[in-house]
Amino acid sequence: KLDLGSHSMQPDELDKLGLIFNKMIGKLEKNFHRQHQFIADASHELRTPLTIIESYASLLKRWARNDPAVREEAVEAIYSESIRLKGLVKSLLTLAEGQEAPLHSETFSFLPLVQGITSSLQQTYGRVIEVDTDQTEIWLVADVEKMKQLLIILLDNALKYSEQKVEIFIEERADQVRFTIQDYGIGIREQDLPYLFERFYRVDQARSRKTGGTGLGLSIAKRIVDQHKGTIEVNSRLNEGTRICVQLPKHQG
Ligand code: ADP
């Protein structure tokens, strides 16, 4: 028996306490491991574009000055890898902000926001995004900047991983807004689906690098949806296409 002043502990109470401590330590260890993994993955991701920039800069310095073709290739690579690096740092900062970063919720009209984003993405990609809805106006209380980010991540993926049109269908159901983004692209294998929302997860490293992916987009999307107490669901068939459905409460809290 352990004497704790006025209260003495019974062996079974001690056992229980031991179990609780063990559980807590297990959790801490797991968190520590995850943090460590995150830093390792982030460093690895940052190194790749930096190495490319470094080697092209060295090429420029040493010989490319008098060779216009090599010069052009080097400048192009440095430019595109810098953009990639910038995007990566931005995504890492978003993730590092932490789940507790407060939402700046305000009331806004959802459809014009979607229209604005789709038309600018259509311009960038030169592709069609069909917007379809059964509503004329939907008011939403949410963090506008985060909603923009969420839509951009999902629509951008749909465009990146398909070559045909992309559709977004928006519905209002009771106190929920639901939007479904459908593409008819390369799709995702069933065995990859459970890992899509993990940080740095990419179905195919080579393919993703070609499209400038970082494997962070969907984990940020999931975080935004969670913060708004919504749900996000992926349905996909390899070589047929992907459908992502997001459901959000119209009012927070
Ligand atoms: P990335 O920056 O690599 O696109 P994401 O986190 O946004 O990272 O997505 C993770 C992976 O999921 C991608 O690398 C890609 O393989 C797959 N993926 C995401 N969206 C789609 C889609 N619409 N169609 C096919 N594959 C997709």
Side-chain angles (χ1 to χ4, degrees), residues 71-128:
R71 198 167 58 213
E72 196 165 319
E73 184 192 329
V75 169
E76 187 50 48
I78 289 173
Y79 181 67
S80 63
E81 289 301 312
S82 306
I83 290 183
R84 199 176 131 69
L85 202 54
K86 202 165 125 189
L88 194 58
V89 170
K90 195 171 158 212
S91 301
L92 288 172
L93 282 175
T94 307
L95 283 174
E97 256 181 8
Q99 209 118 25
E100 285 75 37
L103 286 181
H104 299 289
S105 290
E106 54 187 291
T107 307
F108 63 94
S109 181
F110 188 60
L111 299 178
L113 184 91
V114 176
Q115 291 290 358
I117 289 167
T118 50
S119 60
S120 89
L121 282 172
Q122 286 191 129
Q123 285 221 319
T124 312
Y125 280 89
R127 303 248 308 275
V128 177

Side-chain angles (χ1 to χ4, degrees), residues 24-206:
M24 276 166 66
I25 288 172
K27 258 190 192 162
L28 280 174
E29 267 177 352
K30 215 167 134 191
N31 266 339
F32 183 74
H33 178 74
R34 278 179 51 188
Q35 299 258 2
H36 185 82
Q37 191 62 42
F38 178 63
I39 293 170
D41 290 344
S43 313
H44 175 81
E45 289 307 312
L46 290 168
R47 267 184 85 104
T48 315
L50 273 175
T51 308
I52 299 175
I53 291 172
E54 187 188 16
S55 55
Y56 273 106
S58 139
L59 186 74
L60 266 182
K61 217 168 128 189
R62 281 181 298 150
W63 359 32
R65 247 176 257 176
N66 303 320
D67 186 336
V70 180
R71 198 167 58 213
E72 196 165 319
E73 184 192 329
V75 169
E76 187 50 48
I78 289 173
Y79 181 67
S80 63
E81 289 301 312
S82 306
I83 290 183
R84 199 176 131 69
L85 202 54
K86 202 165 125 189
L88 194 58
V89 170
K90 195 171 158 212
S91 301
L92 288 172
L93 282 175
T94 307
L95 283 174
E97 256 181 8
Q99 209 118 25
E100 285 75 37
L103 286 181
H104 299 289
S105 290
E106 54 187 291
T107 307
F108 63 94
S109 181
F110 188 60
L111 299 178
L113 184 91
V114 176
Q115 291 290 358
I117 289 167
T118 50
S119 60
S120 89
L121 282 172
Q122 286 191 129
Q123 285 221 319
T124 312
Y125 280 89
R127 303 248 308 275
V128 177
I129 304 176
E130 273 179 15
V131 183
D132 189 9
T133 178
D134 57 1
Q135 302 292 316
T136 48
E137 180 120 72
I138 297 175
W139 291 98
L140 192 62
V141 183
D143 187 316
V144 181
E145 286 312 312
K146 295 216 153 98
M147 282 299 118
K148 276 189 198 163
Q149 202 181 358
L150 173 65
L151 283 161
I152 291 172
I153 290 169
L154 299 178
L155 287 167
D156 196 60
N157 273 350
L159 289 160
K160 264 192 322 199
Y161 300 112
S162 75
E163 281 167 0
Q164 294 157 30
K165 71 169 178 193
V166 165
E167 296 162 348
I168 174 164
F169 182 57
I170 306 156
E171 299 160 274
E172 189 177 36
R173 291 282 169 277
D175 54 354
Q176 305 270 320
V177 174
R178 191 161 79 171
F179 61 88
T180 309
I181 295 173
Q182 169 83 52
D183 69 61
Y184 301 92
I186 56 179
I188 301 161
R189 289 179 308 178
E190 206 178 332
Q191 64 258 46
D192 288 310
L193 290 175
Y195 308 106
L196 283 188
F197 297 109
E198 283 181 12
R199 294 187 295 216
F200 300 109
Y201 189 80
R202 294 183 198 129
V203 172
D204 175 344
Q205 305 279 337

